Amino acid sequence: MFFTCGPNEAMVVSGFCRSPPVMVAGGRVFVLPCIQKIQRISLNTLTLNVKSEKVYTRHGVPISVTGIAQVKIQGQNKEMLAAACQMFLGKTEAEIAHIALETLEGHQRAIMAHMTVEEIYKDRQKFSEQVFKVASSDLVNMGISVVSYTLKDIHDDQDYLHSLGKARTAQVQKDARIGEAEAKRDAGIREAKAKQEKVSAQYLSEIEMAKAQRDYELKKAAYDIEVNTRRAQADLAYQLQVAKTKQQIEEQRVQVQVVERAQQVALQEQEIARREKELEARVRKPAEAERYRLERLAEAERSQLIMQAEAEAESVRMRGEAEAFAIGARARAEAEQMAKKAEAFQLYQEAAQLDMLLEKLPQVAEEISGPLTSAKKITLVSSGSGAMGAAKVTGEVLDILSRLPESVERLTGVSIAQVNSKPLRTA
């Protein structure tokens, strides 16, 4: 058996002859092999539509997946070609495609069972790579190589993917709104920044223009000074030539002007000094004097208030001490007097009582005659007998006083006449 390969098919030659035929032509000998059988295997690329209907994923959600695979028998690799010949020799291209499709579909279902719907839906590249990797390792043993595999479609009958799409659509719309808002914000920021840069550039331009104008004015002023200096020098030179002819007159005139200017300067200095002295005399010194006087008055008033407060405090203190001393002395005297009276009462008894009564009788008489002293007018009515006028008043007062011993005896139970007639007794 030997192989010959073309671009689209491989030809397998098998069989032999024990005595191959010999052909002689033109003095040459040709040995013709005895060929029993020739078989061909297609090397064309096969496009497979790999469908997996209602396969349960890892979370138990049934979905249907369709993939597109490109496969072919590898004719450049002799080992793979030999394996393909062993597997598919004598089979049609449709039969080979069916075997490869069943293999891919089985691996596709296995990968779907190990992944979630979200993983398959969101990461198609990962799913395609896993199917490609697993299917390639299995088909290579059959001499078939997987050229490519692409996930074409995912769908289900329970609207699971539609729900995921809604969530994703809402997220995309949200991201779009956020992106639009951020874009507007960034555009506003860039616009504000551009305006700021424009204003800054305008200000910088105006600053540079102002600097240029300043430099121009400075240089122009310097040039003007130089021109005027030269012009003045020329004028002075001309005047000097004229002055040489009129030297004596000019010297006198200049001297007069110098003197006049000196006198004017002296007068101005004197006027300035006079005004300063006048200002000093009229404003500064009176103000300082007034300030000094007010300060002294305030200081004196403060000292006076302090001394007055101290004197009042001292007076209050001394008055308080004097009153306290007087009250104490009065209390001591009254206590001593009361003690002595108590001793006298104990020693003399009735005589002491008589002394106290006699001591209080003038006060009683004074209280009795008190209303008469405050009376402005007294009208006396006489019955025609007895004294008249002031003697009548005196008699009335004496009559009231003569009744005092009886009143005292009724009030106190002590008879002045009896006490006075008894000899003094001591305790």
Side-chain angles (χ1 to χ4, degrees):
M1 179 184 297
F2 63 92
F3 305 94
T4 60
C5 294
N8 296 321
E9 65 177 9
M11 185 175 60
V12 181
V13 180
S14 61
F16 63 95
C17 295
R18 291 183 178 274
S19 56
V22 178
M23 182 180 64
V24 179
R28 298 181 179 178
V29 178
F30 296 91
V31 179
L32 299 176
C34 181
I35 300 173
Q36 296 182 350
K37 189 176 183 180
I38 298 175
Q39 295 177 325
R40 291 180 175 85
I41 295 178
S42 175
L43 300 180
N44 293 328
T45 301
L46 304 177
T47 300
L48 305 179
N49 193 11
V50 186
K51 292 184 179 181
S52 299
E53 298 290 341
K54 297 181 181 180
V55 179
Y56 287 92
T57 58
R58 188 171 66 187
H59 290 166
V61 180
I63 62 173
S64 299
V65 171
T66 301
I68 301 299
Q70 305 286 338
V71 299
K72 67 173 296 185
I73 295 175
Q74 188 59 258
Q76 303 298 325
N77 190 321
K78 294 182 179 181
E79 294 179 356
M80 293 181 66
L81 182 59
C85 289
Q86 293 177 1
M87 292 289 296
F88 307 116
L89 197 61
K91 296 183 180 297
T92 63
E93 187 174 300
E95 291 174 339
I96 296 172
H98 179 71
I99 293 172
L101 178 61
E102 291 293 331
T103 303
L104 280 167
E105 202 272 335
H107 290 301
Q108 182 173 274
R109 295 175 69 89
I111 299 299
M112 289 171 64
H114 286 84
M115 294 180 70
T116 64
V117 178
E118 288 80 1
E119 291 174 345
I120 299 172
Y121 180 76
K122 294 180 180 180
D123 196 354
R124 298 191 176 196
Q125 181 68 27
K126 178 181 178 182
F127 177 78
S128 299
E129 289 177 354
Q130 290 189 7
V131 174
F132 179 84
K133 179 179 179 181
V134 175
S136 296
S137 62
D138 195 6
L139 290 175
V140 74
N141 296 325
M142 300 180 186
I144 299 174
S145 64
V146 182
V147 179
S148 66
Y149 173 85
T150 304
L151 181 60
K152 180 182 178 181
D153 181 48
I154 303 174
H155 64 277
D156 68 311
D157 298 335
Q158 300 179 2
D159 290 337
Y160 188 86
L161 293 173
H162 183 65
S163 300
L164 291 178
K166 285 184 178 180
R168 179 58 183 166
T169 301
Q171 181 66 33
V172 170
Q173 291 177 353
K174 176 183 176 182
D175 294 341
R177 289 193 297 269
I178 294 173
E180 183 180 0
E182 291 178 349
K184 289 182 178 179
R185 180 200 63 192
D186 295 340
I189 292 172
R190 288 194 296 270
E191 183 178 359
K193 187 176 180 181
K195 289 182 179 179
Q196 182 179 2
E197 291 177 353
K198 178 181 177 182
V199 173
S200 299
Q202 183 178 357
Y203 287 161
L204 290 174
S205 177
E206 292 178 357
I207 291 171
E208 293 298 328
M209 291 175 63
K211 288 181 179 180
Q213 183 68 23
R214 182 199 61 188
D215 296 339
Y216 168 74
E217 295 292 339
L218 291 175
K219 290 181 180 181
K220 185 176 181 297
Y223 293 154
D224 291 341
I225 292 172
E226 185 177 358
V227 171
N228 292 331
T229 302
R230 297 291 179 86
R231 186 178 299 166
Q233 290 175 356
D235 292 341
L236 289 175
Y238 173 75
Q239 291 176 5
L240 182 60
Q241 294 296 329
V242 174
K244 287 180 179 180
T245 60
K246 301 177 181 181
Q247 184 174 2
Q248 293 179 355
I249 298 173
E250 290 295 330
E251 286 178 354
Q252 294 297 325
R253 186 174 64 81
V254 170
Q255 288 178 0
V256 171
Q257 290 179 353
V258 169
V259 171
E260 288 177 353
R261 290 180 181 177
Q263 291 177 354
Q264 290 176 359
V265 171
L267 289 173
Q268 289 177 357
E269 291 177 351
Q270 292 176 4
E271 181 66 18
I272 292 171
R274 185 187 67 78
R275 289 184 180 179
E276 289 181 351
K277 290 180 180 179
E278 183 179 359
L279 179 63
E280 185 75 18
R282 289 184 180 179
V283 180
R284 294 178 182 172
K285 288 186 177 180
E288 291 179 356
E290 181 66 17
R291 181 175 60 82
Y292 181 78
R293 185 181 69 81
L294 293 176
E295 289 177 352
R296 298 283 75 79
L297 287 175
E299 184 66 24
E301 185 177 357
R302 187 177 68 84
S303 301
Q304 183 181 359
L305 291 175
I306 293 173
M307 293 175 66
Q308 184 178 357
E310 292 176 351
E312 289 178 357
E314 184 66 21
S315 174
V316 170
R317 185 183 64 79
M318 294 179 68
R319 191 182 301 114
E321 291 179 355
E323 289 178 358
F325 182 79
I327 292 170
R330 190 182 300 113
R332 288 193 296 272
E334 290 177 357
E336 186 176 356
Q337 183 180 4
M338 293 297 293
K340 288 182 179 181
K341 285 182 178 181
E343 290 176 0
F345 277 119
Q346 292 178 1
L347 181 62
Y348 298 103
Q349 294 182 354
E350 295 178 355
Q353 294 177 4
L354 178 60
D355 180 68
M356 185 179 68
L357 291 173
L358 293 176
E359 182 181 358
K360 296 298 182 181
L361 283 176
Q363 297 180 4
V364 174
E366 181 180 0
E367 293 296 329
I368 293 172
S369 61
L372 295 176
T373 60
S374 60
K376 295 181 180 180
K377 182 179 180 181
I378 299 176
T379 302
L380 298 176
V381 180
S382 177
S383 62
S385 61
M388 298 293 291
K392 180 66 175 176
V393 176
T394 304
E396 293 291 339
V397 173
L398 292 175
D399 183 52
I400 294 171
L401 292 176
S402 64
R403 295 177 184 177
L404 283 175
E406 296 178 3
S407 300
V408 171
E409 184 177 359
R410 284 195 301 268
L411 293 171
T412 62
V414 179
S415 176
I416 297 174
Q418 292 178 1
V419 174
N420 192 22
S421 63
K422 291 180 181 181
L424 296 174
R425 293 180 302 175
T426 59

